[in-house]
Amino acid sequence: RALRRSRELHPLDYMRWTPPQSAFLRDPSQWAVLCLGQQLGGKTTAGLADTVWRCLGAHPYQTLPPRPKGRPFQAWVVCYSHQQSLQVQAKLWALLPKDGLHPDTLYQGLSRGFRGKYPAVVFADGATILFKTTKQGPEALASGTVDHIQVDEPTARNCWQEIKGRVRRTAGTIRGTLTPINAPTDYLREEVEQGYVKHHRYDLTQENATPIGSDRPLTLEDGTPITDEWIQVERARTPEAVRGVVLDGHWETRGVARYFAPFVADPRIDGTHVSAAVPDGDVELRLGIDHGDRPGKQIVLLIAVQYETTTEGVYADRQARVFVVDEYTD
């Protein structure tokens, strides 16, 4: 009973970290990011543990800089939206030292998160973790002097610049915990290549999903272990174009093969999706332009859309066939 009570009060004392998490937690760099696949690597959990230890002023894997004088230590956890932050708040509550919190800190469950208009965790000595969102743009991050910021999942370039500004006066730390998808990360990749941000990225393997000192990998919620055999199946059913990002945390998707396996590229085969002739009848011509995020990234497609209306009983169905007529790349 005493052991169970101790674990409830100080859950971080009983954590066993995987090799990627351990390397990230031991990194003394001022700015660092941990890039892993979606849902399977524990990147957010490692980032939250690092944030909690910095607020407590005692880190088991690092020597922390001196605490600020004349004011409490302040940390931010930056999410995209309030809905996403509720999931992160639940993970944070599971890691917090329950006897090291200020009485004003109240967790109200997954649907409401921490109490307050601006969700916050306050420690006994006044150190604070505030939750911020970037959905409203950089203006939502435009004030505050912060000692540490954890950025959970990719954010826009202008939000990242604002985040760096919040820790400039304090020479504070930034930790990114992310899968590089659903938002541009070119700016972050550039800072990694220039040596400003330390980059931790690891493939999804059974070894990387096994806590150090254990012979058993982590499991899914239904108890399925994350073995190399399970990972092989997961890779097979993940589109190859995004496989490297969503499973292994790579920077970008790759057009190494067709995205859709049923696509028939040979025009000599029945049911082919490639036609040497333009469609008969009326079509709509459309021009699709993607301006890209910098010179050299532009692309233009000219497509012809042919609509076919079928009627079965009282039901009418309008279907479309799309022909890619021409393409331009910069």
Side-chain angles (χ1 to χ4, degrees):
R1 286 196 298 269
L3 181 62
R4 181 177 66 184
R5 180 60 176 163
S6 174
R7 184 179 181 276
E8 291 173 349
L9 290 176
H10 304 103
L12 281 177
D13 292 348
Y14 296 86
M15 293 291 289
R16 303 177 84 177
W17 304 102
T18 64
Q21 290 173 322
S22 178
F24 178 68
L25 290 170
R26 295 173 186 275
D27 185 358
S29 303
Q30 183 181 10
W31 299 346
V33 294
L34 175 61
C35 296
L36 297 173
Q38 293 175 333
Q39 296 294 315
L40 299 173
K43 56 187 184 296
T44 298
T45 299
L48 291 172
D50 181 77
T51 299
V52 170
W53 285 326
R54 292 178 187 277
C55 287
L56 292 172
H59 200 301
Y61 304 114
Q62 295 187 36
T63 300
L64 298 178
R67 304 281 283 180
K69 295 180 179 180
R71 61 172 181 81
F73 187 92
Q74 184 171 143
W76 284 1
V77 175
V78 178
C79 304
Y80 170 71
S81 66
H82 177 65
Q83 288 73 21
Q84 179 206 353
S85 80
L86 289 174
Q87 300 289 333
V88 179
Q89 290 177 53
K91 293 182 180 181
L92 176 60
W93 174 247
L95 300 176
L96 286 169
K98 306 305 185 291
D99 60 352
L101 303 176
H102 191 279
D104 288 344
T105 298
L106 175 64
Y107 182 67
Q108 305 170 107
L110 183 59
S111 63
R112 299 176 65 187
F114 289 100
R115 180 173 61 184
K117 180 179 179 181
Y118 303 103
V121 173
V122 183
F123 292 81
D125 68 350
T128 304
I129 300 175
L130 290 175
F131 281 84
K132 297 282 187 173
T133 62
T134 62
K135 191 173 183 179
Q136 293 78 26
E139 293 81 4
L141 308 169
S143 63
T145 301
V146 187
D147 300 287
H148 174 75
I149 300 178
Q150 178 187 350
V151 184
D152 191 64
E153 299 304 350
T155 186
R157 181 191 294 264
N158 53 3
C159 291
W160 176 254
Q161 294 301 325
E162 198 64 49
I163 286 168
K164 291 194 296 184
R166 298 308 101 220
V167 299
R168 186 171 292 122
R169 185 176 182 85
T170 63
T173 46
I174 299 176
R175 290 292 182 270
T177 51
L178 53 99
T179 300
I181 200 165
N182 298 326
T185 54
D186 289 350
Y187 67 91
L188 187 55
R189 184 176 182 176
E190 292 170 1
E191 295 196 11
V192 166
E193 292 172 349
Q194 293 167 0
Y196 301 135
V197 178
K198 183 65 178 296
H199 182 221
H200 297 266
R201 189 208 63 78
Y202 300 87
D203 289 344
L204 177 61
T205 64
Q206 179 174 331
E207 180 181 2
N208 284 336
T210 302
I212 296 172
S214 174
D215 58 0
R216 294 179 296 174
L218 302 174
T219 65
L220 307 180
E221 289 191 358
D222 65 358
T224 301
I226 304 176
T227 62
D228 284 331
E229 291 74 19
W230 181 87
I231 294 170
Q232 185 176 3
V233 173
E234 192 67 14
R235 288 190 184 282
R237 64 184 185 183
T238 302
E240 188 173 3
V242 298
R243 190 179 298 159
V245 177
V246 301
L247 295 181
D248 300 319
H250 285 286
W251 283 119
E252 59 187 13
T253 57
R254 296 182 179 275
V256 295
R258 63 178 66 101
Y259 191 94
F260 297 105
F263 184 85
V264 180
D266 192 339
R268 299 168 298 179
I269 298 176
D270 290 340
T272 180
H273 295 91
V274 177
S275 173
V278 296
D280 294 330
D282 294 334
V283 297
E284 287 185 5
L285 290 179
R286 299 193 178 191
L287 200 63
I289 304 173
D290 186 339
H291 294 281
D293 62 345
R294 62 180 183 270
K297 289 291 187 177
Q298 288 69 37
I299 185 170
V300 182
L301 289 178
L302 175 63
I303 63 175
V305 185
Q306 184 179 55
Y307 294 101
E308 298 177 354
T309 302
T310 59
T311 304
E312 182 177 346
V314 296
Y315 298 102
D317 188 17
R318 191 168 185 247
Q319 297 181 336
R321 301 174 70 202
V322 179
F323 293 78
V324 179
V325 181
D326 201 358
E327 178 185 49
Y328 166 81
T329 57
D330 190 346

